[in-house]
Amino acid sequence: MSTETPESGRSVAVLFPIPGGGPYTYRVPSDWEIPPATGCRVSAPLGRKLLTGLVTGPGLPVPAGVRLRALSASLDNRPLLTPDLLELIAWLAEYYFCEPGEALRSVVPGPFLRVGDRTVHLSEAAQADPPTGLPPAQGRLIELLQARGKARVSSLRDELDAGPLQRALTVLENAGLVTLSDCLPRVPADKTDSLVSAVAPLPEAEELERLLRRSPRQRQCLDYLSGLAHPVEAAFLSRQMGFSPEVVRTLAGRGLARITQVRRLRDPFQSLDLPPYDHPTPSAAQTAVIAAISRDLDCHRVFLLHGVTGSGKTLVYLEILRPVLAAGRQAVVLVPEIALTPQTTARFRAVFGDRVAVLHSGLSDGERYDIWREIRAGRYRVAVGPRSAVFAPFENLGLIILDEEHESTYKQTDLTPRYHARDVAIRRMRSAGGPVVLGSATPSLETWAEAESGNVVRLSLPERVAGRLLPEVRLGDLRHGWTGSDKNGVTPALLKEIGFALEARGQVLLLLNRRGFSNFVLCPDCGGIVECPNCRISLTVHKRLGRLLCHYCGHQQPAPEVCPACGSASLERIGAGTEQVESALREAFPERVVDRMDLDTTGGKWSHHEILERLRTGATDILVGTQMIAKGLDFPNVVLVGVVNADTAMNLPDFRSTERTFQLLAQVAGRTGRGERGGEVLIQTFNPAHPAVRAAVHHDYTGFARRELAVRLEAGYPPYVRLLNVIFSGEQEPVVERFAGDSAALVAALIQRKHLQDRLTLLGPAPCPLERLRGRWRRHLILKSREPELIGSLGEFLARRLKPPAAGACRVTLDRDPASLM
Ligand code: ADP
Ligand code: ZN
Ligand code: ZN
């Protein structure tokens, strides 16, 4: 077959943000003077739809005689994506075994790639001579168009199913009965403010008198405006000054006032009250670390900043940003979650002002769109945000910082590709040429092992700032303290400690990583537990809702009076959650203000912020919460941290459960003793000898890492091997089971054929620990190898070869470097 390369520059490759999204080659219409550059958005027809895609490069050679479809519209004059981000998309697709279109969808905010639509009209011929005797779908379509004249194709989907609709459109278009035209994708409209000013110079006094004699309000308004040095917002004029929009419009109509529209940036973080921040002078230890990183800003190196809680890591970040910005480069600062780390964000804003973009997860599509566009336009120099901010479209990125690099939120787990922001950051800076700084008091064992082997440069801040000490950590042994009266976990010992702290006018944080009132409902007669109908998970009691709730799929139902299995009426509610602890504390300290922070109390866009503000300003005495309260808060008046039950995640069947437990305990303990008053920690547990608990008591990260790494080595888990978790899920258990089994056989045969027995281990198929979730049965295979390349080629093989049996009945997910195997 002969191929030809279309005339250079007259065809381009376009990638669409969907599975099966190409890249595909399109012809640049001959009347376009300049072809769209690589990285620009275009709209182009794909199938019968008009979609928005991204130009990824010149068109590919096509077989002779193939007629290319033409681009419909060019949407950018300047590339939206820089070459390094295009490269990153290709890398994401390759490394995480997904399609480039899926990678694109994770990189670029949705509004930029909103699907376009088409309009269908009845043709003149069909209007003049309405067709008759058509098959039902075509007939229905013609009828609808006769009634409406034209319609958006998307709106027709309410009337006709997609398949018949598409066929009907094709047939009718070919028969010349309908015509289709493009509508460009809608982008969120800019928000604008109207600014009003008096014209200068104003007409002579006599002339004004003549114009405004019978309009006293206009006269007053003009007097007000002409006394101002700056234009003023129209909204302010009407709301604060009482000049109606009509008054302002008439003034403008008479040529006396000018109204200009300015685009407003929708950045809610800008309008929030941010806590004040005094910028301290770096200590000797901080200075040494700052110097070590600043020396090497032009080459790619990964640093681990291992600094104990309260060692002043944020100041280090701020100081290393200065030389990066001074060199004309930009920086990204990743935080686990903006809402939970408002202080970090505030500090960056305090030092770098409005050159800092905050990519909050609560931003609306329109807000995210604005900020991205402004970053692209060069207005910002620093972006602070959660995982996806690693894709901020800076032109000349010089540094990426990951604060609390051990946090699991850096791994995307709900969408393909399941990327880890740390690995993406390292990849991005390797090609951009600049450092990555990973900061944590409790580094992930992956990063720690890299530091041990010298691939990552370790820098330490072993002590807290200003000579402050790490808090004393004591254990409450629940095995002996159990009295029955404190079923809710709030033991007399804990109550006593809280009482002391409050008397000393200190504040208290109480961690229980389990929301709701009671963990589950147990029938003591048959031993049954009330489970979610969609998941193989017990339902949690939520008292305020008066219902049982599934924390995985959101299913709700009334609490049963009798056991659904045996009818027994003596159901018991077992295991306290945050809601119960909160109410126990309210009872114990009726004069005090008890607040709670967990998923149930943080539904509002700014509710995290409000809860933390109440704590910061001293309005709250005791804050009860889930892991949300363990994230990096810096409140000097917190003198006691209580862990109601340290064991909630200890025994999960997951290789990371010990590491996660340690990180949570060490981090929450780090929230106290940050002021001059010092602080204490009380950890209640049934497992005082557990390595995570022991290490947290002694603030012994290094010892913990050494022991846990030995366990991982022995058991064959990361960082000593690389994992690929292959998850099969579907509504019918036998289908999932068979698919998983067949896939395992495929892999086993490959291992045999290629003699990979010593280099690759296949585990499973086995039911996932969460065997049923959201109505789907789940099984998995785990592949282990010491060689990342082998995992790479195997994953690529599986992505190509594993075809689910019946469309939609079964799904397969490839999770490379999984954060958890649940
Ligand atoms: P980390 O992130 O390491 O837990 P932070 O960066 O939140 O610690 O700093 C803890 C506190 O110490 C903050 O209130 C910060 O302002 C303060 N701090 C940081 N560096 C210094 C310093 N050199 N001198 C005095 N206070 C400091
Ligand atoms: Zn029962
Ligand atoms: Zn459920």
Side-chain angles (χ1 to χ4, degrees), residues 532 534-535 550 552-555 774:
C532 173
N534 311 320
C535 312
C550 173
Y552 285 86
C553 73
H555 166 85
R774 298 181 192 91

